[in-house]
Structure formats: structure tokens, C-alpha cells
Amino acid sequence: MEIQVQLPDGAIRRYSRNTTIAQIAESISVSLRKNAVAGKIDGRLVDLDCPVEGDSLVEIVLADSSDGLMIHRHSTAHVMAQAIKRIYGERNVKLGIGPVIEDGFYYDIDIAQPLSSEDLAAIEREMGKIIKENLPIWRRVVSREEAVQFFEQLEEPLKLELIRDLPEDAVISLYEQGEFTDLCRGPHLPSTGRIKAFKLLSVAGAYWRGDADNQVLQRIYGTAFLSTALLEEHLHLLEEAKKRDHRKLGKELELFMFSEEAPGMPFYLAKGMLIRTALEDFSRKLQRADGYEEVRSPLMMNRRLWEQSGHWDHYKDEMYFTKVDETDFALKPMNCPGHMLIYKNSRRSYRDLPIRIAEYGQVHRHESSGALNGMMRVRTFCQDDAHLFVLPEQIESEITRVLELIDQFYSIFGFEYKVELSTRPEDYMGSEELWDQAEESLERVLKKNGIEYRVNAGDGAFYGPKIDFHVLDALKRSWQCGTIQLDFQMPEKFDLTYIGEDNNKHRPVVIHRAVFGSIDRFMGILTEHYSGAFPLWLSPVQVKLLPVSVVHDEYAEQVRRQLATAGLRVEVDSRNEKLGYRIREAQLEKIPYMLVLGDQEQNDGTISVRSRADNTLFTLNAQEFIQQLTAKIDGWE
């Protein structure tokens, strides 16, 4: 009996029932079969030897596709588990899970021996042998009883727990390669020999299934690529990322610190505070020009406000609470409810709208201790929140303005960015009709502005869909920062109104907007993006003066006052150290400009300027230098 197969280009082909994905690929071209690693049947990933049983949409998955790379890495994780079993003994190693993650994979294992970097090298060597053996990888579907019996014989308690928690109607499959068999959904490469280039990166402790009440396993991280060149490029980026780690640079450059007395809560040191203030001033300047008014709402508000807003039902597990006069209060995790009260404080007319209010508001959200990560994941941060109260007919024009503002923001820092449209989550608040209207509005404005985006289904806020902005840093890593959220729910919850042309009350629509997202996180991102060498306008110290000897200190102080009066951030290093040593220190501090002041400069009333950018030395007078730097700072250089 024949079946009808539709290919991605729309072509229709006919095959015998149970023709495999590999056979379909080969019927199209020999080269396609050679480069194929899996297939998709009606969007479902399957192995190459999977038969097509009925009329279907079939796609051939190539090795160099995103799905192909994921399968490549997943199969490498299995090879790693097989190698560990071979080295340490099948009964001495209990396997957990080995999923693919961004840029690699890991496998959680229970083994008595703590693994070191030398052990990882031995595991890599054994993996190389398994790859050379080119073992076929076979999928076998089994009943729940067979699976339980199989892993009981292997004495694999973690696998048995996974099987026990599978839904009753789950299809249970095992993957076999040589003497090794693992519980897995798949798909996998057709054989171990298809694995090209890999590297084991590190080992760390991890709670089984992420639960702190469970045992701690050893988690081995690795990565795999389709060529040695791609692997080496990735390893170079990892090394570069280590050098740029904001926690390391933050300490070396004296920007911020953390303390066990306040876990997950950053302390800003003087230089870090200068950067944060510069960021806020930059943001304020652009927002004022765009018609925003700045407000400030309390850090802590009554529980009933959070119940009214919906945060209590959807967010209370991430909030901090206390009692005031026997009444429950909460530290704010978001600024939205406070801004609703500010809007409601005055009688509003349709002539007043749009109203754009912004706040640099400190918020608190409870993160588990294991999730904390320097400035990137904290428990308190400053959110550059804004709420736009608009007429329904102003929605698209106001979102367009926000899109232009965000683009202007990110271009100053040299960031490219990607856009996601996040749609209705499972725990959404409000009617389907309003959600449909909100999602259609956001989609329409993105298309109207010619902005490429991908849909992130189910990841919207509980009160509305959103547009999320993912910036790409100097290492092309993606960070979610800005957001635009369209909200028909809060106006209902807080009974917000304006008086229309007909003298009746109407509901405004609220647009939630953040550009930095978290200023703290943005600082962490910038620290890594610039590798601590901040542009002139952001540098906490823009100029360092280096008098050659003590007799030049007075002249250095004259120059310092002149520069500081002009608004430049300047320091004098007059320590009793050699000039070369002080220059190297300033270079390590990544100071944009160093001014060397000796006899000739003092006699001529000039300065010798050494630039961080090209390390060249040139001479001019202080006023000319001030004019040059002021022009650069005004241009956000």
C-alpha cells in the first residue's frame, strides 16, 4: 500500500508504507542521505530508520541544522555515559539524565569517586575509542514492565524513578550502542562514528532533578561540534568569556561586591555607582526628550494591593512579606501597581492621553540560592520601568515610539538584538477575546515596522502578551533585556478611567515598558561586553593624571581642577612609584586617557596624552583636550 509524503518545498512523493526516513532521503539524492542525521514526521523528530506509516509531511534533518547539532550533542552525551561505565564499572556508576543544553550537554551521575580534570581527560580518551568503533545506535520500544525489569537488573535506581514518573500512556524507548543501553526519547545519530568533535568542560555538583531535598550527583558538562575548527572557536570564546566574567572584573575594577550578609543583593562601590548614575542620566535624557515624566513609588505596599493586581495569585512565591501594624505588606517585585495608583490619583481626560510615566524602581524577587549569579541573577535590582496609559487608537503609534526608543538605546552600546513575541501563558488573567486583541496588536505593529521576530508561545506575562528584546554582546551571547507588554487587565483590576469626548468614562490601555530591564543586570552585561574597558562616557575614571615626580604634583592638581570643573571624572596618581609602573596600573584599570606631566609639560603649560585605544602619545593644552573629550562624551563615545 502506498502513502503520500509531502516535502517542505511542497512537492508530493509516493512511497510504500513503512519506507524509512533514510530511504526517503536517498530517493531524493545520495548527498542528502549522506548528510541526513534524522527526520521529522509532521513536525516530530524521529530517527533515520523510523518508518513512515501514513500520509505525512516529512522533513530531512541535516547534520548542520540546529536540530542536527542538538542530536549530535545528545548522542555525544550517551557516548560519555558509556565511556564512564566502561572505565569505572557498570555497577559502580548510576546514571541520572543527560540532556542537551545551550552550547552543549551534561550528564548527571552517581559515583563514589570525585571526578577531576584528569578523570575527564581519561573519559575523553575512552569516548574517542567508542567513536572509532562506529557502533550502530538502535532504538527499541518496550513496555513499562520490560523497562522496569531491565533497569532493576542493571541496579539503576534513578532510571527506575524516571520510569515511575512517566505518564501511563507514555511510549518508553531504549537506545542501544554496543554493550550500553539507556532510557531515552531520542532521536540519535545512526552510529557513534558520526560524532565529529567534542570536549568535556567541567564537573560540578547538582541536586538530582533540581530538588534540594534530593541527593547530590556529579554533573559533567561537555560540548560537541561538527568540526574541530568550530569546536576550537567555541573553546576560544569560553576562554574569552572567563576573562570577561563580570564578577571577576567587578572585583578587579572595584565596581561592585557581594556579601553573605545579603545574598543575591549587590553592593555598589564608588566606581560602580558612577557607571550606574551615568546609565540612569543617559536614560533620563532620552526619556525626557520622548515625553516621559519620572515618578517614585513606595518599596513596600499593602497585601491587598497585590491581591487586586493579580500578583498575589500569580507571583506570591517570588515575593517577600512582612507585617506593619499587624497588616501584611509586601516588598514590590514590580512597579506596575504603584503606577496604577499614580494614574488614578487624578481625574483624566482623553486630551491628557497618552500619559508616559517612568521610574527607576528598586524591586525584590526571591530567587533560589542555587540560581544566583553575580549581577545576572539577583534578589533585588533596579528596574527602569515605564507605563504608558493610552487610548485604544494610540496603541500602535505608542508601541512604535517605544520600538524606536529601544533601538536608539541599544545602538549607543553597539548591541545587535533579536525580537520575540511572547504569547498567552497557561495561567493568564482575563478573557480570551482581550488576549487575542492584544496579541494581534503587537503582531501587527511588528510587521508594520518591518521587524523580524519569532513567536515564543506561552511565555507572556500573566496580564498580557509581550515583545522581548534579546541583545547580542561582543561574544554574540544573547541576553534578554528590554520588554514591551500590552495590558488590558490592569485597567480593569484598578478601575482606571478617562473622560472621553462623549463625557462618559472609558478604559485606557496600559503599555508596560522596560529598556535596560534590570539596570544591575545590564551593568553586568556591559562589563562583559566591553571586557571592563567602558567607553569614555561610561568610564568611572575618564582621565588619570601621572605627575612624573613630586615636583610636578602642584601642576597636576591645577590640571585636575581644570578637567573636573569641565565635568570630567579624573584622578591623580602621585604615588612614589616609577612612572612605567603607574602607567601599567592605569592600563590594567582600563582608564581611557592617561596624562603624563613632567618638566616640559609644566614649563609649556601643556599635557602629554596617552590613549587607551591606540597607546599613542600626543601633546596639546588642557583646554583643547577638554573640548575633544566633551565632544566625544556628548556623542556617547
Side-chain angles (χ1 to χ4, degrees):
M1 181 177 177
E2 285 193 335
I3 57 170
Q4 189 169 278
V5 168
Q6 181 181 342
L7 301 176
D9 63 359
I12 304 293
R13 289 178 174 240
R14 303 190 71 82
Y15 296 94
S16 300
R17 184 185 294 277
N18 294 327
T19 298
T20 67
I21 296 293
Q23 290 168 335
I24 291 174
E26 189 163 16
S27 74
I28 298 170
S29 77
V30 174
S31 63
L32 183 66
R33 170 63 184 88
K34 183 179 178 181
N35 292 314
V37 293
K40 284 183 179 179
I41 300 176
D42 294 329
R44 177 174 59 91
L45 275 169
V46 296
D47 296 288
L48 274 178
D49 61 1
C50 180
V52 182
E53 298 174 341
D55 295 348
S56 308
L57 172 64
V58 171
E59 180 181 347
I60 307 302
V61 175
L62 301 180
D64 60 357
S65 67
S66 57
D67 284 327
L69 184 57
M70 181 270 292
I71 293 166
H72 185 258
R73 288 171 173 166
H74 194 181
S75 297
T76 310
H78 276 223
V79 168
M80 180 177 74
Q82 183 177 10
I84 294 169
K85 287 269 192 180
R86 282 188 179 184
I87 293 171
Y88 299 101
E90 188 171 303
R91 303 289 171 172
N92 297 328
V93 179
K94 310 302 177 189
L95 298 178
I97 56 173
V100 174
I101 55 175
E102 186 177 3
D103 292 331
F105 59 87
Y106 69 79
Y107 215 119
D108 288 342
I109 63 170
D110 181 13
I111 182 173
Q113 174 182 334
L115 298 177
S116 65
S117 56
E118 290 78 13
D119 295 313
L120 296 189
I123 295 168
E124 283 183 345
R125 288 193 292 272
E126 191 62 39
M127 291 173 67
K129 294 177 185 177
I130 295 169
I131 291 168
K132 283 184 178 177
E133 291 171 19
N134 196 21
L135 302 172
I137 302 175
W138 301 107
R139 180 176 189 261
R140 181 161 59 94
V141 176
V142 296
S143 67
R144 186 179 297 265
E145 293 73 21
E146 286 178 282
V148 168
Q149 184 179 10
F150 180 80
F151 286 105
E152 281 179 343
Q153 290 174 349
L154 289 181
E155 298 176 9
E156 291 279 10
L158 303 179
K159 296 294 184 184
L160 290 169
E161 182 180 328
L162 293 172
I163 294 167
R164 182 194 67 206
D165 293 344
L166 288 173
E168 284 299 320
D169 59 349
V171 175
I172 300 176
S173 57
L174 307 181
Y175 276 82
E176 302 174 354
Q177 52 197 56
E179 81 288 355
F180 178 75
T181 302
D182 204 355
L183 175 73
C184 189
R185 279 198 308 262
H188 281 278
L189 297 174
S191 70
T192 61
R194 295 290 295 271
I195 295 172
K196 300 301 182 185
F198 68 92
K199 179 69 178 174
L200 301 188
L201 301 172
S202 62
V203 61
Y207 292 113
W208 169 233
R209 304 182 85 173
D211 188 336
D213 293 331
N214 288 339
Q215 68 187 106
V216 177
L217 305 176
Q218 294 189 69
R219 175 172 292 178
I220 304 176
Y221 288 95
T223 191
F225 286 87
L226 299 180
S227 72
T228 301
L230 289 171
L231 174 62
E232 288 176 351
E233 180 183 349
H234 177 72
L235 295 177
H236 171 73
L237 288 177
L238 290 181
E239 285 303 312
E240 187 63 28
K242 286 180 184 177
K243 296 177 192 173
R244 293 169 178 256
D245 190 313
H246 73 281
R247 293 163 296 188
K248 171 178 173 286
L249 290 173
K251 184 175 182 179
E252 292 173 356
L253 301 177
E254 298 180 335
L255 304 179
F256 39 76
M257 57 167 274
F258 290 87
S259 168
E260 291 182 2
E261 307 307 320
M265 301 182 185
F267 290 72
Y268 281 85
L269 305 179
K271 290 179 180 178
M273 197 62 202
L274 284 169
I275 296 175
R276 174 167 167 168
T277 301
L279 286 171
E280 289 187 11
D281 289 346
F282 156 74
S283 172
R284 282 188 175 97
K285 184 175 181 179
L286 294 188
Q287 288 186 155
R288 284 196 202 102
D290 208 30
Y292 287 81
E293 298 176 310
E294 188 173 341
V295 299
R296 178 64 59 89
S297 59
L299 283 174
M300 184 171 65
M301 288 178 275
N302 196 301
R303 166 178 167 170
R304 65 173 174 264
L305 180 75
W306 305 106
E307 291 175 333
Q308 182 179 1
S309 69
H311 287 88
W312 182 264
D313 290 334
H314 296 83
Y315 216 78
K316 65 176 179 292
D317 291 341
E318 297 180 51
M319 295 170 66
Y320 293 103
F321 300 94
T322 189
K323 281 193 178 290
V324 179
D325 298 331
E326 303 305 314
T327 301
D328 288 332
F329 274 65
L331 289 173
K332 63 178 180 180
M334 298 177 185
N335 298 302
C336 328
H339 290 191
M340 302 303 120
L341 297 183
I342 288 172
Y343 176 90
K344 205 170 180 180
N345 185 54
S346 301
R347 181 181 172 90
R348 311 289 184 176
S349 161
Y350 72 95
R351 294 188 182 90
D352 301 324
L353 274 58
I355 294 171
R356 308 179 189 97
I357 60 175
E359 177 174 4
Y360 301 94
Q362 198 70 20
V363 298
H364 290 75
R365 301 180 185 178
H366 180 68
E367 298 279 358
S368 68
S369 59
L372 299 176
N373 176 19
M375 301 288 272
M376 304 307 194
R377 185 66 70 89
V378 294
R379 286 175 171 167
T380 181
F381 58 92
C382 180
Q383 193 171 43
D384 68 320
D385 240 347
H387 291 88
L388 288 65
F389 300 86
V390 305
L391 305 173
E393 59 268 28
Q394 293 172 334
I395 289 173
E396 293 186 23
S397 62
E398 283 300 303
I399 291 178
T400 295
R401 285 180 67 140
V402 176
L403 289 170
E404 291 169 351
L405 181 67
I406 289 175
D407 185 72
Q408 185 181 9
F409 260 69
Y410 293 163
S411 66
I412 296 295
F413 302 100
F415 283 137
E416 298 176 18
Y417 59 88
K418 296 180 179 179
V419 176
E420 283 184 349
L421 174 60
S422 299
T423 58
R424 182 183 325 172
E426 290 184 8
D427 63 341
Y428 70 91
M429 181 174 70
S431 70
E432 286 190 19
E433 182 182 357
L434 285 177
W435 269 89
D436 289 343
Q437 185 181 343
E439 288 177 3
E440 287 166 8
S441 293
L442 290 184
E443 193 163 9
R444 191 160 51 245
V445 76
L446 286 171
K447 289 179 177 177
K448 195 172 181 180
N449 284 278
I451 295 174
E452 291 185 15
Y453 66 94
R454 78 175 190 89
V455 175
N456 187 10
D459 199 44
F462 66 86
Y463 47 77
K466 58 180 181 169
I467 300 170
D468 287 328
F469 296 81
H470 298 258
V471 302
L472 302 175
D473 69 10
L475 298 183
K476 299 303 179 185
R477 296 172 301 181
S478 177
W479 306 95
Q480 199 275 310
C481 292
T483 187
I484 302 170
Q485 302 169 358
L486 186 55
D487 182 5
F488 291 89
Q489 312 304 328
M490 290 282 177
E492 292 283 344
K493 290 279 186 179
F494 285 90
D495 191 25
L496 305 185
T497 60
Y498 63 88
I499 303 301
E501 287 186 83
D502 58 2
N503 288 321
N504 292 322
K505 289 184 177 181
H506 300 272
R507 288 262 184 266
V509 179
V510 172
I511 299 170
H512 304 245
R513 184 238 71 187
V515 184
F516 293 136
S518 155
I519 293 179
D520 311 72
R521 187 165 182 261
F522 202 82
M523 268 194 67
I525 294 168
L526 287 179
T527 302
E528 299 194 1
H529 177 62
Y530 294 121
S531 195
F534 296 98
L536 177 65
W537 72 274
L538 263 185
S539 292
V541 179
Q542 294 165 325
V543 182
K544 179 154 282 192
L545 306 185
L546 304 172
V548 173
S549 69
V550 67
V551 299
H552 307 111
D553 285 355
E554 186 177 339
Y555 180 57
E557 177 57 24
Q558 291 175 21
V559 175
R560 186 201 68 79
R561 282 199 299 268
Q562 199 173 352
L563 269 57
T565 300
L568 297 173
R569 297 189 287 272
V570 57
E571 284 184 353
V572 179
D573 184 355
S574 56
R575 291 175 297 163
N576 186 24
E577 300 282 358
K578 290 182 179 180
L579 179 61
Y581 175 82
R582 286 181 285 147
I583 289 173
R584 285 192 297 275
E585 287 279 292
Q587 288 171 333
L588 290 173
E589 293 172 24
K590 304 179 187 288
I591 307 294
Y593 291 95
M594 293 161 274
L595 307 188
V596 178
L597 307 175
D599 288 338
Q600 185 172 342
E601 289 79 17
Q602 183 167 292
N603 293 334
D604 296 345
T606 59
I607 55 178
S608 289
V609 181
R610 186 185 294 269
S611 167
R612 178 186 68 191
D614 53 20
N615 208 30
T616 55
L617 201 64
F618 55 95
T619 302
L620 69 173
N621 66 50
Q623 195 55 46
E624 290 172 333
F625 180 66
I626 288 170
Q627 289 173 355
Q628 287 184 16
L629 263 62
T630 301
K632 288 177 179 291
I633 291 167
D634 289 344
W636 311 112
E637 292 185 31

